[in-house]
Every structure is written in C-alpha cells, then in structure tokens.
Amino acid sequence: MAGGIPTSRFVSKDYPGKLTAYVLFTCIIAATGGLIFGYDIGISGGVTSMDSFLEKFFPSVYHQEIEDTSTNQYCKFDSQLLTVFTSSLYLAALLASILASTVTKLLGRKVSMLTGGIVFLLGAAINGAAKNVAMLIIGRILLGIGVGFANQSVPVYLSEMAPARFRGMLNMCFQLMITIGILCANLVNYGANKIEGGWGWRVSLGLAALPAAIISIGSLFLPDTPNSLVDRGQPEAALKMLRRIRGTDDVKEEYDDLVVASQESKKITHPWSNILKRKYRAQLTMAIMIPLFQQLTGINVIEFYAPVLFKTIGFGNNASLLSAVIIGLVNVCATFVSIFTVDKVGRRALFLQGGTQMLICQLIVGTMIAIKFGTSGVGEIPKVYAVFLVLFICIYVAGFAWSWGPLGWLVPSEIFPLEIRSAGQAINVSVNMLFTFGIAQAFLAMLCHLKFGLFYFFAGWVVIMTAFIAFLLPETKNVPIEEMVLVWKAHWFWGRFIADEDVHVGAVEMANGKPKGVNQA
Ligand code: BGC
C-alpha cells in the first residue's frame, strides 16, 4: 500500500441526528412489504395439503396420494406438478426483481413498493376466486411479481432511510414482517382447514389481499429516500427530507456525501455491466453468495414442509399444524434478538453464533432421525422423542432467525455503492428466489435419496458458509451506507480489488487520535 491511502486508518463517520419518530414510522410502514412474502411462504404448504383444494384443482394428485400406501417415511408420495405450482411464484419473483431494479432506480423506491403491493393484491383476488388451474397459475405469477418488486425495493429503502447507527435494527423490521406473515398464514391455514364445505382454501388464498392492501396503502404515504431524490435530480427535496428524517438541520456532511455518491452514480450508465467491474468484486460475490447460503441453511425445508415432517414422525393432523404454529412463534420472537443486538454486537457475531447453533441442531436432528428410521425409512417415534425433535428444530429456527434470516436481507442491501445498488439488490433477490425454488422443488426427492443425511447435507453447507463469513465478510455495523467502500478497501482480501482512485476521497475521513466507531476489517 506504499503511497496509497492508509486504509487501516479509515474511520466510519457518525453523522449528527437521532432516531426520529418519523423515520421509525416510515420504516415500519415500508417493512410491511415483508408481510406479503412471509404470508406466501406460510400459506402455500398448508393449502396444497388441503384435500378440497387438491380434489378441485389437482384431482390426479389427490387420488394418487390417497392410494399411496408406502411405509418408507423418507420416500413419501411426491408430485412435481404440485411443487411446480407452489414454486412458480419464486420464478416470477426472480424475473420481476430485475425489472424492479430499473423502476427503483429511475422512479424511486416508493413506486416499486406500490407496484409490488398492487400486483400482489390482484394476484390474491384472482387466486381467492379461482375456478380453474389457469386462474390459480396466473394469480401465482402476479403474486410472484409483487414479491419481486417488494423484496427488491424495501430492504434498500430501509437501509437508506435509517441513520447508520440504527440501520441494522430498522432494516431487520423487514425480516420481522416476513416472520409475522408466515405466522399469520400458519394460523389462517389452521382455521381455514376446519371450514366445512371445502372452500377453506379460498379464505387462505384470498386473505393474502390483506397484507397487500397494507403495503399498497402504506406506500402511498411514504416519502422517497434522500439518496434516491438526489440521484433523481431533486437536491432540494432531498435536503429537506434528510433534515426531517434526522430531526436536525445539521445534515450538511451527510448531504454532501449523498451528493458525491450521486455524482459517482451519474458517471455510470449501465449498472448491470458495471457491477462486473473488478472494483465491485466483493459486493458482487456477497450479492450472490449470501442469498445462496441463506437458502442452503435448509430453512425452507422447515418452512414449507414442517407439517408434513411432523406427520411423518407420527404427529396427528392438529398436532402437526400446531407444531408449525409453535415454530412460527419462535421465528418471530427470535427475530427480535437480532433487531436489538445487530447494531451493537455487529453482523459478524450474529452470523457466526447463529451458524454454530444451526449446525449443532442439524447434526442432532439428523442423528435422532437416523436412530429411529435408519436407512430403510421404516420406524416409529415415541412421543417424548418427538418432543425433543421439535425442540431442536425450534432451536435451529431461532438460530436462523437471528442470523441468516435477517442478515440475508440486511447485508446485501447495505454494501453497494449507490450506482449499482438497485442492480445489486436485484441479483440478491434473484439468487434467493432461484434457490428457494430449487430447494422447494428438490426437497422430497433429496429426502428420498439422502434420507437422514439430508440434515447432514445442510449442516455441511452451514460449515462452509460460516467459514466464508469468518474470512470474507468485514463488519459493516454503524458505517454510513455511502461510505461502505472504505470497509472493503480496508479488508485484507477484498482491498486488493479496489484501487486508491476508486475511493471517493471527499468521503474519506482519517483517524485523528482515537477513532470513533471504527470498523477495522
Ligand atoms: C428467507 C425465507 C425464509 C424466511 C423464514 C427469509 O429471510 O428469505 O426464504 O422462508 O426467512 O423466516
């Protein structure tokens, strides 16, 4: 680094301003965008296990399921048709997030959120009123487009609105809403399943309109972020907004940095080809690996198949649905742990602790299943044993809920410079959706082949991802979002990809004596 910028002495800035009620309010409203994603994750598994739904739309699947008498618990009946129906949403979301990145950049974060809400609302209405499979699928595609728009824009919105010191906390409200959405869906399924007359599934699917209405109406009242306003040529509105959300007139330094970031951003006409440049190698790697790893924790095996899994180990219908509700509750509660600690202990500590906890639980669950079902898949599980199994699954879910769950959305949304932020977030959403789709699609076949080893398979991935974080992810807590390049520049590995002239010096503040809020990488 001779002659270069002494990166080890970078400090993160601490702009004046506080956590205002206004910023808190806007972030909570925007975070409700997570409800639609969560509701969908929670609802589809339940609906596709309702007999009346299957009989109406997938009669061949229904009859095959009734005739399935296999005793091998690993290789239960599996319909690719049904899983394609469920996971078509994730493919639609994948494509929509790419389109959303352009809308978010050119028209603002708020327009994307509104679009997401309205399209999802339409999808919910079509699904609730569905008369045939075509309506179901069109509805699902619209839901997917809604999720793609919301997941692309909401995390970015939250990270830009939040003061750096509270960014983790506010951004994680998105994950909190996802978990609340899942829990509500579990409860709705539980109730809808009891409706006589075979139309309970309409209630489950139609009620998706509620979270969609919340984010649609909410987003009408949301302001756009100062970052986006500056970037879209409205400097005065941006300054006014910054003063309002920070609760002080002393925002010059932060505003100047937004302007510098926007000037950098203006030099770039093609964010998609630009993101491939050497200097963005770290961010691009994270945008791909973090969502990929998030899905390889195996969380959605639990989210999508928990009731099936519990039935398999001998729980009755009600007990299975109830256990899913318990897991949903653990998921919500454990998310609060990360909300209140992420800006204090940092992202890395949560990643490493949560990863270790998930790993231990996966090994225990895999071994417990191996002991009872062996490789033949035939066996029975005593009640006490089953209770312990659910307990370890809950501890695993808690580990996810305060690590890879919220951080999988937070970290990618805070590491990109403005010029490639929208494109970067679209990559994050696309990779996430692609692997959500892949795991939903492959799970039953994998269980049949890998048997209890499936849990060891995911455990192996958790080891890899935890090592990845330990070595390659620098700490980003409390670093202002438009200053993030300094963190990468200071990193032992990623620093080599960033030339000194790639660091906009206007934003650099050197340490003088005792640094404040330094995140030495
Ligand atoms: C993940 C979802 C998962 C959910 C569980 C989210 O962060 O992206 O795939 O189902 O967490 O709470």
Side-chain angles (χ1 to χ4, degrees):
M1 264 306 327
I5 300 172
T7 51
S8 59
R9 296 178 62 218
F10 286 144
V11 292
S12 58
K13 293 184 182 178
D14 197 6
Y15 300 124
K18 51 181 193 270
L19 180 64
T20 57
Y22 183 63
V23 94
L24 193 63
F25 176 72
T26 52
C27 286
I28 289 174
I29 300 282
T32 58
L35 285 177
I36 59 177
F37 181 40
Y39 189 82
D40 197 83
I41 293 168
I43 214 72
S44 18
V47 168
T48 50
S49 66
M50 289 181 193
D51 287 347
S52 53
F53 176 83
L54 288 181
E55 214 177 343
K56 183 167 173 66
F57 296 106
F58 302 94
S60 59
V61 175
Y62 177 62
H63 290 118
Q64 268 174 286
E65 205 168 49
I66 290 179
E67 284 153 24
D68 181 43
T69 51
S70 139
T71 53
N72 181 343
Q73 304 290 12
Y74 294 130
C75 301
K76 279 297 201 190
F77 170 75
D78 154 30
S79 161
Q80 289 292 315
L81 181 66
L82 207 57
T83 35
V84 167
F85 157 75
T86 307
S87 38
S88 59
L89 181 145
Y90 300 101
L91 288 185
L94 186 165
L95 296 174
S97 69
I98 295 168
L99 175 65
S101 78
T102 308
V103 176
T104 302
K105 179 150 181 65
L106 298 182
L107 303 177
R109 287 72 175 128
K110 175 187 158 121
V111 174
S112 281
M113 285 188 250
L114 183 62
T115 312
I118 291 176
V119 178
F120 195 93
L121 193 63
L122 213 65
I126 295 179
N127 265 351
K131 291 202 164 16
N132 47 43
V133 176
M135 280 178 85
L136 270 189
I137 294 196
I138 292 172
R140 270 206 80 75
I141 291 175
L142 292 177
L143 296 182
I145 296 176
V147 167
F149 268 83
N151 287 18
Q152 195 279 337
S153 51
V154 172
V156 167
Y157 182 90
L158 296 172
S159 284
E160 288 182 344
M161 286 302 260
R165 267 171 294 135
F166 300 100
R167 190 176 57 241
M169 177 180 111
L170 293 177
N171 183 291
M172 283 183 169
C173 292
F174 177 64
Q175 174 72 12
L176 181 67
M177 294 294 176
I178 295 179
T179 60
I180 292 176
I182 297 176
L183 180 63
C184 291
N186 287 341
L187 289 167
V188 168
N189 272 341
Y190 188 64
N193 200 28
K194 297 202 160 117
I195 295 178
E196 309 260 320
W199 50 274
W201 60 270
R202 284 196 193 278
V203 175
S204 294
L205 295 182
L207 273 181
L210 204 67
I214 295 176
I215 178 66
S216 306
I217 296 171
S219 65
L220 286 176
F221 297 98
L222 289 178
D224 233 323
T225 67
N227 316 50
S228 174
L229 289 169
V230 170
D231 209 33
R232 288 184 293 127
Q234 302 174 42
E236 258 136 55
L239 186 60
K240 220 169 121 197
M241 184 51 59
L242 198 57
R243 287 191 178 132
R244 179 149 190 218
I245 61 178
R246 299 288 175 258
T248 169
D249 281 348
D250 184 10
V251 293
K252 185 170 182 325
E253 200 184 358
E254 185 171 5
Y255 179 75
D256 287 349
D257 285 344
L258 292 191
V259 172
V260 172
S262 169
Q263 283 162 353
E264 294 290 315
S265 157
K266 288 280 174 324
K267 292 185 200 151
I268 284 158
T269 40
H270 301 293
W272 286 99
S273 57
N274 214 66
I275 206 168
L276 298 174
K277 286 199 174 144
R278 186 178 159 82
K279 62 177 172 174
Y280 300 128
R281 204 52 50 80
Q283 292 94 327
L284 182 62
T285 307
M286 295 300 155
I288 296 171
M289 298 314 284
I290 290 183
L292 183 147
F293 283 147
Q294 189 203 51
Q295 291 306 313
L296 286 174
T297 56
I299 186 66
N300 280 326
V301 164
I302 303 297
E303 296 302 344
F304 295 149
Y305 299 103
V308 181
L309 207 72
F310 292 136
K311 256 194 221 170
T312 302
I313 61 175
F315 282 30
N317 236 340
N318 258 355
S320 298
L321 284 172
L322 202 66
S323 307
V325 172
I326 293 173
I327 290 180
L329 268 173
V330 170
N331 200 5
V332 174
C333 296
T335 306
F336 280 103
V337 174
S338 57
I339 289 182
F340 292 117
T341 56
V342 66
D343 293 312
K344 298 187 185 79
V345 302
R347 285 69 168 144
R348 283 171 52 84
L350 288 177
F351 264 129
L352 300 179
Q353 191 284 331
T356 312
Q357 182 168 324
M358 285 192 287
L359 173 66
I360 295 170
C361 292
Q362 282 164 324
L363 294 177
I364 293 177
V365 169
T367 308
M368 284 181 79
I369 293 183
I371 291 170
K372 286 294 167 194
F373 290 128
T375 49
S376 70
V378 182
E380 262 182 45
I381 287 192
K383 277 270 153 333
V384 186
Y385 204 87
V387 168
F388 272 99
L389 212 50
V390 174
L391 181 72
F392 283 111
I393 292 179
C394 284
I395 302 176
Y396 159 82
V397 169
F400 176 86
W402 60 60
S403 63
W404 282 90
L407 293 168
W409 294 105
L410 167 64
V411 173
S413 77
E414 66 181 7
I415 56 173
F416 290 106
L418 187 58
E419 59 267 26
I420 52 163
R421 191 168 300 148
S422 286
Q425 179 63 5
I427 295 178
N428 177 40
V429 178
S430 304
V431 175
N432 196 307
M433 296 299 144
L434 183 66
F435 281 85
T436 307
F437 168 82
I439 287 185
Q441 207 61 32
F443 167 69
L444 288 174
M446 281 168 83
L447 182 64
C448 187
H449 290 104
L450 296 178
K451 306 179 169 60
F452 58 84
L454 183 65
F455 292 91
Y456 298 153
F457 170 81
F458 287 121
W461 280 108
V462 173
V463 172
I464 296 172
M465 65 186 80
T466 307
F468 175 88
I469 296 295
F471 292 112
L472 294 176
L473 185 77
E475 183 54 64
T476 50
K477 81 166 176 189
N478 299 348
V479 180
I481 189 162
E482 308 302 355
E483 300 283 295
M484 209 54 87
V485 64
L486 306 179
V487 171
W488 297 108
K489 178 73 179 151
H491 188 264
W492 71 273
F493 180 74
W494 299 116
R496 73 191 70 179
F497 294 92
I498 304 165
D500 289 351
E501 50 285 10
D502 293 331
V503 178
H504 48 97
V505 177
V508 176
E509 192 176 279
M510 298 296 175
N512 270 330
K514 192 166 163 272
K516 41 174 182 150
V518 191
N519 290 325
Q520 306 280 1

